[in-house]
Amino acid sequence: MKIAEVIVDVSAYPVDRPFDYSIPETMEELIECGCRVKVPFGNRDILGFVVAIKNETEVPPDKLKPISVLLDIEPVLTGEMLELAKWMKRETISYEIDCLQAMLPSALRAKYEKMVILETDVKNLEEPLQPFFQHATKVDYKEFEKDGLLIPLKKALKMHLLSIENVVKQKGKIKEVRKVKIAADQNLLQMIYEGLSNRAKKQKQLVLWMQKHVGEIMEPEVIHEETTCSPQVLQAVIELGAAEYIFEEVYRNPFKKDVEKTDFLTLTAEQETALKDILDAMDKGSPETFLLHGVTGSGKTEVYLQAIQHCIQQGKEAIVLVPEISLTPQITNRFRSRFGEQVAVMHSGLSVGEKYDEWRKVHQQKVKVVVGARSAVFAPFENVGLIILDEEHESSYKQEDSPRYHARDVAIWRGKFHQCPVILGSATPSLESYARARKNVYKLLTLKERALKQPLPSVEIVDMREELKKGNRSMFSEKLADSIRDRLKKKEQIVLFLNRRGYSSFVLCRDCGTVMQCENCDISLTYHRYNEKLKCHYCGYEQPVPTNCPECGSEHIRYFGTGTQKVEEELTKLFPEARVLRMDVDTTKRKGAHEAILEDFGAEKADILLGTQMIAKGLDFPNITLVGVLSADTSLHLPDFRAAERTFQLLTQVSGRAGRAEKPGEVIIQSYTPEHYAIQFAKEQQYEPFYKKEMMMRHEAAYPPYYYIALIQVSHEDVMMSAEYAKRCADYLRSSLSFDASIIGPTTAGIVRLQNRYRYQCLIKYKIEPNLIPTFLQLMKIYRTEWIKKGIVLTIDLNPTMI
Ligand SMILES: Nc1ncnc2c1ncn2[C@@H]1O[C@H](COP(=O)(O)OP(=O)(O)OP(=O)(O)O)[C@@H](O)[C@H]1O
Ligand SMILES: [Zn+2]
Ligand SMILES: [Zn+2]
């Protein structure tokens, strides 16, 4: 008897391991690793994934239960994915089932129906299968199941004579078009023709025409056009049996418009050098990680495109990851215009069905390139030749829910698996990656100049404290207002960037720029509206919100932040003639809105694009000559050790939108703390000096990349329970980890009460801690067996992006 090891869909079980089930004889020839099954668990049937098949088990025969239902006769997960899940589960301290689920499109988690699709001439099929496809190209899977034909079906699937499609029941229904299939029998057509009376002239003409197109399948519109016959005539002829309607599935097309084909650009010397190193690694099959550090507008994308071209020529597939927020049509179109139909796109803007279609194109090896956000790193290609992470510094590459994986780590793992290079690209690499490149863990490739040797834009910083002293209370400094006026006159375009990160969460004095900081840590205090207090979530220090600035005594001390809508109002007051497009979460809710706004801006239907983080990246419009940053500081004072790095990155990225073509660009950054190094270095637009300074700061404070950090959060509806178990957690860690690891806490979390649960946390800083993972696993086990019953929720986040 054969036994399957199954990972079951219960992520509350204390032990995360596969369970053995016997494979019923009827399934033996059908089941494979990576198939989903239904298995009895407790008193119900639950979903599971087959992760191994073996001949023996230690489970006594009377305890061994059989698999109830086999959901897939073609595996949905490859062997690689099963292996990856095992690695991920340990790396991220999560359940294997969560890792497996994370790799699949949500459509496969929903209800669906399976259809069998004919991919060949009916005659090539084994005899028992043939009758099903006499009049259809698509047949319900249940028919084969009912007739006990799964084994020949599986054989045909293996030979690619048939394929299986899962039809998502709810929204994501497969889209079909109705087509006309002309009878394949010449004699039949002749008989029909002869049977028609001479008065049915149009019908006779049509059947005559059909005799030249025996067995062809075409859209009714084409027939109407070619023969000038009316739909009624076609209908009449179909009723006579000369043709029939069939339904053909089409992939939903998430691309609204076709794109124009583009050609390869002649590379600059710098691009050429970078590309060469990448191609060498591809040819050698070397799983190297490259860090492509190129200033904004240096043509990193062109390097990706040509590397992908090489990958396709090698007969391999490429995965391109871009941050969700910059997954704009502008970016995806650059890939589509080069590789056309060979590109699948995956992002959250697609419907469940569209996402599933794109995934299926990859799964069935119908495309060669996938461009997508974080989860596209799991694209089920089997012969990967290149993986690219664009804007590698983006925090959205880290998943914030279990499994808390970082796409960069998964990409590098897959690179090793497929023996292929990984490219991390950015104008402002994360400190971690740049430090690794400096240590030769990654290979550094540099593009110092813009592609057409355009200068980087000039950057000016305006001290908003001075503006206030001059009596200017508006959001626009005189300088920025003047420059806007100037561009409006010249009919050049303007991008206004409102930094929404850290919106309203810190308190700032508008007169002297003081930000309320913690006494014990170099970090700004977080404003808590519910009790009107300022709090440090690192050490727990708190104080009431002051009414006067402790430095200068001014009363102009307040929570900081302005919404885009307010800016828009003020803009239209100041510049009534300006045409403004606003791009933020509110204006882009509707599907396709994002695309429409950018298209309008590209077509110069507006003078000013006003937006949040969404507009900081990827935009490549030649007529933008002015970029204004309204509030550089908001992201600076977040209680996050990466605040300076994030601010520098944002300012550099958004500045990089200006002056990308012939006309020179100008950037104006408004700030209340212009002396801060992140702002000063952003003005220089030089990465290296910023990197050096920031590394010093991290060293002093013992933060990454010098130390690793892990964050454990405990929550409970009762504040005392939460505090109590967080303390138990800290005690446990202190008794298990080495003295080199520092355990900070427990302290309250940044947002203490979330969805009516009180949250406490412990922060662990460590360098080399061989016992870390085993300790965490043990802690998880205690939690899953004991604490969970008390209503505690515990999460462990290794290398959290935001603390
Ligand atoms: N070799 C080249 N010859 C001519 N034009 C080029 C070349 N390489 C890139 N370009 C053009 O330069 C512009 C900037 O390139 P691209 O957008 O790829 O830069 P990037 O490094 O990805 O920029 P960012 O990081 O700012 O998004 C684009 O309009 C691109 O078409
Ligand atoms: Zn002050
Ligand atoms: Zn503190």
Side-chain angles (χ1 to χ4, degrees):
M1 185 173 43
K2 291 257 189 207
I3 309 293
E5 289 185 8
V6 177
I7 294 285
V8 292
D9 187 12
V10 266
S11 36
Y13 207 72
V15 193
D16 186 19
R17 61 162 176 88
F19 290 88
D20 287 355
Y21 287 90
S22 64
I23 301 175
E25 235 170 76
T26 50
M27 285 179 207
E28 238 175 60
E29 278 190 63
L30 300 168
I31 203 161
E32 282 181 79
C33 289
C35 288
R36 291 166 312 149
V37 288
K38 285 248 161 128
V39 289
F41 196 88
N43 50 11
R44 62 203 171 107
D45 264 4
I46 60 169
L47 179 80
F49 290 85
V50 178
V51 293
I53 293 172
K54 56 191 185 182
N55 294 316
E56 277 160 26
T57 175
E58 269 154 30
V59 180
D62 57 318
K63 291 264 167 66
L64 190 68
K65 293 181 196 155
I67 291 174
S68 326
V69 184
L70 177 62
L71 291 171
D72 308 302
I73 63 169
E74 282 181 313
V76 290
L77 288 166
T78 59
E80 180 198 358
M81 292 300 151
L82 299 178
E83 212 175 293
L84 177 58
K86 288 209 174 69
W87 172 82
M88 247 171 85
K89 128 190 189 183
R90 202 181 148 81
E91 224 34 41
T92 63
I93 320 280
S94 42
Y95 284 104
E96 193 165 336
I97 187 73
D98 291 340
C99 298
L100 294 168
Q101 300 272 34
M103 297 174 179
L104 293 173
S106 53
L108 279 181
R109 284 172 244 156
K111 276 200 148 184
Y112 63 91
E113 253 167 31
K114 267 182 301 211
M115 300 299 277
V116 179
I117 314 289
L118 181 66
E119 299 276 357
T120 176
D121 201 284
V122 186
K123 293 186 216 85
N124 300 332
L125 293 176
E126 266 185 57
E127 214 145 303
L129 298 175
Q130 284 188 13
F132 294 90
F133 295 98
Q134 288 308 348
H135 296 286
T137 53
K138 188 160 114 190
V139 179
D140 195 334
Y141 175 89
K142 287 194 205 102
E143 303 279 320
F144 301 89
E145 212 169 20
K146 208 169 59 199
D147 291 5
L149 288 170
L150 290 183
I151 289 170
L153 175 60
K154 182 162 177 131
K155 266 194 230 152
L157 289 169
K158 277 239 147 87
M159 292 163 70
H160 302 291
L161 304 175
L162 298 174
S163 67
I164 282 198
E165 317 260 299
N166 294 304
V167 186
V168 184
K169 267 196 179 158
Q170 347 109 316
K171 304 171 212 148
K173 221 173 170 330
I174 281 191
K175 223 172 123 180
E176 289 178 322
V177 286
R178 193 169 71 155
K179 291 197 173 171
V180 175
K181 185 178 179 202
I182 298 164
D185 187 343
Q186 182 75 279
N187 295 333
L188 174 70
L189 288 172
Q190 185 58 31
M191 267 166 55
I192 294 171
Y193 178 79
E194 283 163 9
L196 279 164
S197 87
N198 282 338
R199 266 178 300 153
K201 210 166 101 201
K202 277 275 169 196
Q203 292 183 32
K204 277 197 109 141
Q205 265 175 12
L206 182 57
V207 178
L208 199 60
W209 178 85
M210 283 180 167
Q211 288 182 341
K212 284 180 251 147
H213 297 270
V214 172
E216 282 180 32
I217 296 174
M218 43 183 97
E219 285 159 27
E221 295 76 32
V222 174
I223 299 179
H224 299 320
E225 250 170 53
E226 295 235 333
T227 63
T228 69
C229 76
S230 66
Q232 290 76 16
V233 173
L234 179 61
Q235 186 61 35
V237 167
I238 286 175
E239 273 162 26
L240 291 171
E244 64 184 327
Y245 280 124
I246 59 163
F247 291 89
E248 248 185 33
E249 179 191 353
V250 286
Y251 289 123
R252 274 157 287 242
N253 186 1
F255 314 121
K256 293 274 147 28
K257 286 199 188 79
D258 287 334
V259 286
E260 261 174 53
K261 195 104 184 103
T262 60
D263 245 335
F264 290 94
L265 301 174
T266 313
L267 296 185
T268 65
E270 281 185 331
Q271 286 174 321
E272 192 75 62
T273 314
L275 181 67
K276 188 178 173 302
D277 281 355
I278 297 163
L279 299 193
D280 281 351
M282 289 168 82
D283 291 339
K284 279 195 301 224
S286 141
E288 240 176 300
T289 302
F290 293 96
L291 177 63
L292 178 59
H293 175 216
V295 298
T296 55
S298 57
K300 295 181 285 293
T301 315
E302 187 63 32
V303 175
Y304 304 151
L305 290 168
Q306 302 206 9
I308 294 168
Q309 175 70 11
H310 191 76
C311 174
I312 295 175
Q313 277 162 0
Q314 284 186 328
K316 295 184 181 173
E317 298 116 10
I319 300 173
V320 184
L321 303 181
V322 283
E324 185 70 58
I325 205 162
S326 68
L327 200 59
T328 58
Q330 238 205 341
I331 301 268
T332 50
N333 282 352
R334 287 173 76 174
F335 291 88
R336 289 181 58 224
S337 58
R338 206 56 73 77
F339 306 113
E341 295 290 300
Q342 300 184 88
V343 182
V345 175
M346 293 175 172
H347 63 87
S348 65
L350 304 178
S351 69
V352 176
E354 284 169 340
K355 268 186 222 162
Y356 175 58
D357 281 354
E358 295 298 297
W359 180 85
R360 216 168 51 191
K361 286 187 203 164
V362 176
H363 190 234
Q364 299 180 344
Q365 325 285 334
K366 294 212 163 125
V367 290
K368 286 286 181 187
V369 183
V370 60
V371 181
R374 180 179 62 228
S375 63
V377 75
F378 300 115
F381 282 135
E382 289 179 37
N383 197 12
V384 179
L386 181 66
I387 307 174
I388 296 166
L389 257 92
D390 190 27
E391 312 283 5
E392 71 89 31
H393 60 275
E394 268 295 303
S395 56
S396 64
Y397 282 128
K398 170 80 189 289
Q399 172 146 308
E400 296 297 345
D401 277 335
S402 183
R404 297 183 167 76
Y405 68 93
H406 198 296
R408 191 199 292 138
D409 301 329
V410 176
I412 293 173
W413 187 94
R414 294 196 73 186
K416 292 215 175 82
F417 185 92
H418 290 277
Q419 296 287 302
C420 76
V422 174
I423 310 175
L424 312 176
S426 177
T428 50
S430 64
L431 247 63
E432 281 95 332
S433 292
Y434 203 74
R436 274 183 210 143
R438 301 253 301 204
K439 283 190 182 160
N440 289 323
V441 181
Y442 300 160
K443 186 161 181 11
L444 185 63
L445 307 171
T446 315
L447 307 177
K448 290 205 174 70
E449 290 191 333
R450 284 189 154 180
L452 303 168
K453 300 238 186 320
Q454 315 91 308
L456 285 168
S458 63
V459 181
E460 187 175 334
I461 296 171
V462 177
D463 187 339
M464 291 302 275
R465 294 169 302 192
E466 295 295 323
E467 293 291 313
L468 200 64
K469 278 189 202 142
K470 281 192 280 183
N472 176 6
R473 291 187 172 271
S474 115
M475 300 167 202
F476 300 96
S477 60
E478 259 174 47
K479 171 78 199 162
L480 182 57
D482 284 347
S483 298
I484 293 175
R485 215 164 284 124
D486 173 62
R487 302 310 135 112
L488 289 174
K489 216 178 287 157
K490 288 189 192 150
K491 302 242 173 296
E492 293 173 359
Q493 286 180 297
I494 301 158
V495 165
L496 290 181
F497 172 66
L498 185 73
N499 196 345
R500 286 270 305 187
R501 229 171 217 157
Y503 177 67
S504 257
S505 64
F506 67 97
V507 169
L508 170 122
C509 169
R510 293 213 7 167
D511 280 313
C512 74
T514 294
V515 170
M516 296 301 296
Q517 290 213 318
C518 174
E519 287 188 341
N520 315 314
C521 320
D522 263 344
I523 236 126
S524 51
L525 293 168
T526 308
Y527 168 61
H528 289 259
R529 192 182 293 270
Y530 75 98
N531 60 0
E532 286 291 311
K533 279 199 171 139
L534 293 173
K535 242 181 174 178
C536 171
H537 78 191
Y538 282 76
C539 69
Y541 169 83
E542 67 172 50
Q543 65 167 72
V545 178
T547 44
N548 293 86
C549 170
E551 293 297 321
C552 74
S554 158
E555 288 170 10
H556 295 132
I557 185 156
R558 60 178 189 103
Y559 333 116
F560 204 76
T562 346
T564 37
Q565 218 170 339
K566 233 177 120 200
V567 180
E568 192 181 10
E569 281 166 23
E570 198 167 324
L571 257 181
T572 34
K573 249 187 252 153
L574 277 174
F575 310 103
E577 76 279 22
R579 296 164 302 164
V580 182
L581 277 171
R582 178 159 66 96
M583 187 145 115
D584 56 23
V585 275
D586 297 327
T587 61
T588 53
K589 265 191 210 121
R590 205 169 38 78
K591 211 179 152 204
H594 201 142
E595 193 168 356
I597 293 174
L598 289 180
E599 206 168 284
D600 284 352
F601 194 63
E604 303 192 14
K605 287 186 192 159
D607 310 297
I608 303 178
L609 179 64
L610 164 68
T612 54
Q613 264 68 2
M614 268 175 217
I615 61 167
K617 298 177 191 71
L619 298 191
D620 187 30
F621 294 118
N623 201 28
I624 301 175
T625 60
L626 175 66
V627 168
V629 178
L630 293 170
S631 47
D633 309 80
T634 33
S635 58
L636 204 48
H637 305 299
L638 278 175
D640 178 0
F641 73 92
R642 287 193 178 89
E645 181 183 359
R646 295 238 163 90
T647 303
F648 174 80
Q649 286 165 343
L650 262 174
L651 294 180
T652 311
Q653 295 285 353
V654 71
S655 301
R657 301 311 114 206
R660 289 167 79 91
E662 297 89 48
K663 294 176 203 155
E666 182 189 9
V667 179
I668 296 168
I669 297 177
Q670 305 189 150
S671 169
Y672 286 95
T673 43
E675 62 283 350
H676 193 285
Y677 67 92
I679 294 178
Q680 284 300 325
F681 285 122
K683 174 177 159 61
E684 306 302 324
Q685 299 190 72
Q686 296 237 349
Y687 179 79
E688 277 279 328
F690 171 77
Y691 169 80
K692 289 207 180 107
K693 168 79 179 175
E694 183 66 11
M695 285 296 270
M696 241 168 59
M697 304 295 278
R698 299 284 179 90
H699 192 183
E700 269 167 29
Y703 274 121
Y706 289 99
Y707 282 82
Y708 293 106
I709 51 173
L711 185 70
I712 300 192
Q713 283 201 334
V714 172
S715 74
H716 196 279
E717 285 173 7
D718 177 56
V719 64
M720 297 305 284
M721 282 290 282
S722 182
E724 156 76 12
Y725 279 85
K727 183 166 180 315
R728 285 194 196 189
C729 212
D731 290 346
Y732 179 77
L733 294 171
R734 287 197 171 99
S735 68
S736 311
L737 297 176
S738 79
F739 289 115
D740 295 336
S742 46
I743 294 133
I744 300 155
T747 61
T748 50
I751 306 166
V752 182
R753 197 168 60 137
L754 199 67
Q755 290 164 340
N756 278 325
R757 299 181 69 87
Y758 289 88
R759 310 191 308 160
Y760 278 79
Q761 65 187 31
C762 300
L763 185 70
I764 303 133
K765 291 183 183 175
Y766 60 99
K767 262 198 142 108
I768 302 162
E769 194 59 37
N771 218 14
L772 187 82
I773 300 278
T775 301
F776 282 171
L777 290 172
Q778 192 53 34
L779 179 63
M780 261 305 183
K781 194 165 167 188
I782 299 171
Y783 156 63
R784 286 167 186 171
T785 40
E786 305 291 332
W787 301 0
I788 205 167
K789 292 181 205 147
K790 305 257 184 341
I792 293 286
V793 171
L794 179 145
T795 60
I796 300 179
D797 193 351
L798 288 152
N799 310 314
T801 44
M802 179 102 170
I803 58 171

